[in-house]
Amino acid sequence: MKYAFSTNAFRRYTLADSIRALAEIGYEGVEIMADAPHAFPAALTEADIEAIRETLRSNGVAISNVNAFMHHADGDTYHPTWIENDPALRAKRVDYTLRCIDLGAALGAETISAEPGGPLEGGMTAEEGFRIYREGLAAVEERAREKGIRILIEPEPDLLIENSAQFLRMHRELDPAVFGLNFDIGHFYCVGEDPKALVKELQGCTSHYHLEDIASTRKHHHLMLGEGAIDIPGVLQSISDAGYDGFVTVELYTYEDQPIEAARQAFAYLKSLDL
């Protein structure tokens, strides 16, 4: 497997400087945040996209994934969601995702990660949320198929889809050639699941992994690798044993005040495991 680092920890840096810093540390890949201030698709020109391609080429770094989850440029981390009560806001999320698909294709990415519906708000039931989310995914399916991009749903605590059972329920209704799983190791741990055991169960759906540590309280707060309660060596060994040869991306956006130091410490931890 290969290691990458998500640029969502580098919101105080330009995307180019983030890529250069991660390449210097030794990461083979970067996950690009499709949000301000890095690569919000609606704000990018063709020249901007070519500049990103050139920065990746000149630093010998690949794209592990395009993070199409956060939406601060036009809302916040979650909003506008796929399941807003207001159809106009749902349309904004769909339009954003279509643009992320185009961006991913232009940059040579294979996947984008997507919000798992969003928080249930305004009295919306889970059943209604699933129905509306499915309609939103249907609206982006053909574009993803045409562009050769796989859309990866990322379960997260307190959102519509937060555990493996809910993900599988949705995934059974989708085309597996177009939709898959962004397996966030910490998120599954937060909701009481064993990520090490889930690797094998979900390996047929998984195209990318997020990695962070989580405290024994299972509170959703991303910690430095080795400073929480997750058996990270065991999880990574399970991923290796499953024959996965793609990217595992470290996601430590909680270290925005010291992203280079965090990226360097995480890289040293991973290399010490010698997997």
Side-chain angles (χ1 to χ4, degrees):
M1 78 190 86
K2 301 169 289 188
Y3 296 119
F5 197 92
S6 180
T7 69
N8 63 9
F10 282 79
R11 294 182 65 201
R12 300 180 188 178
Y13 291 72
T14 67
L15 178 57
D17 285 344
S18 305
I19 293 169
R20 284 191 283 266
L22 293 169
E24 184 177 338
I25 290 169
Y27 285 95
E28 294 182 66
V30 296
E31 177 185 76
I32 291 180
M33 180 181 69
D35 193 7
H38 288 170
F40 185 60
L44 296 177
T45 65
E46 286 299 322
D48 293 328
I49 294 173
E50 177 54 36
I52 296 171
R53 286 194 292 253
E54 177 54 32
T55 302
L56 292 166
R57 281 195 298 265
S58 62
N59 286 276
V61 176
I63 296 179
S64 64
N65 179 56
V66 171
N67 188 322
F69 193 129
M70 301 166 66
H71 209 288
H72 290 90
D74 196 27
D76 57 31
T77 299
Y78 302 121
H79 302 87
T81 76
W82 294 89
I83 59 171
E84 300 277 0
N85 282 282
D86 183 347
L89 292 177
R90 298 200 298 266
K92 279 192 172 184
R93 173 60 74 164
V94 168
D95 178 71
Y96 165 70
T97 305
L98 290 170
R99 291 175 183 268
C100 287
I101 291 168
D102 291 344
L103 175 64
L107 294 176
E110 296 181 355
T111 62
I112 69 169
S113 53
E115 180 183 24
L120 289 166
E121 297 171 327
M124 182 177 291
T125 65
E127 287 304 315
E128 187 177 8
F130 270 92
R131 177 183 62 78
I132 295 173
Y133 187 31
R134 179 66 185 87
E135 291 173 355
L137 294 176
V140 301
E141 180 175 356
E142 191 54 38
R143 180 77 62 85
R145 184 178 289 109
E146 290 173 357
K147 298 286 186 175
I149 295 291
R150 198 173 192 212
I151 299 172
L152 306 182
I153 297 169
E154 181 183 335
E156 178 163 325
D158 300 320
L159 301 187
L160 175 68
I161 296 175
E162 61 176 356
N163 60 44
S164 60
Q166 292 166 335
F167 166 77
L168 288 170
R169 172 191 169 183
M170 174 61 76
H171 194 250
R172 281 192 290 269
E173 300 179 13
L174 303 172
D175 181 351
V178 178
F179 297 98
L181 173 67
N182 186 48
F183 189 129
D184 190 298
I185 290 161
H187 291 179
F188 282 128
Y189 180 81
C190 284
V191 297
E193 298 196 80
D194 179 2
K196 184 165 57 175
L198 281 181
V199 168
K200 184 175 182 180
E201 179 182 347
L202 299 175
Q203 65 180 347
C205 310
T206 305
S207 289
H208 182 246
Y209 289 87
H210 271 171
L211 177 64
E212 68 277 348
D213 216 336
I214 297 290
S216 60
T217 59
R218 299 185 188 262
K219 177 182 177 181
H220 183 205
H221 180 80
H222 292 207
L223 296 175
M224 176 56 61
L225 309 185
E227 295 185 0
I230 297 177
D231 177 12
I232 290 177
V235 175
L236 292 176
Q237 187 62 60
S238 293
I239 294 171
S240 178
D241 291 346
Y244 178 76
D245 60 0
F247 277 105
V248 173
T249 294
V250 180
E251 190 186 31
L252 294 176
Y253 59 85
T254 45
Y255 291 78
E256 186 177 325
D257 60 337
Q258 49 181 349
I260 294 177
E261 293 82 355
R264 184 176 292 116
Q265 184 176 341
F267 188 76
Y269 174 92
L270 291 168
K271 288 303 180 182
S272 73
L273 300 179
D274 194 30
L275 291 172

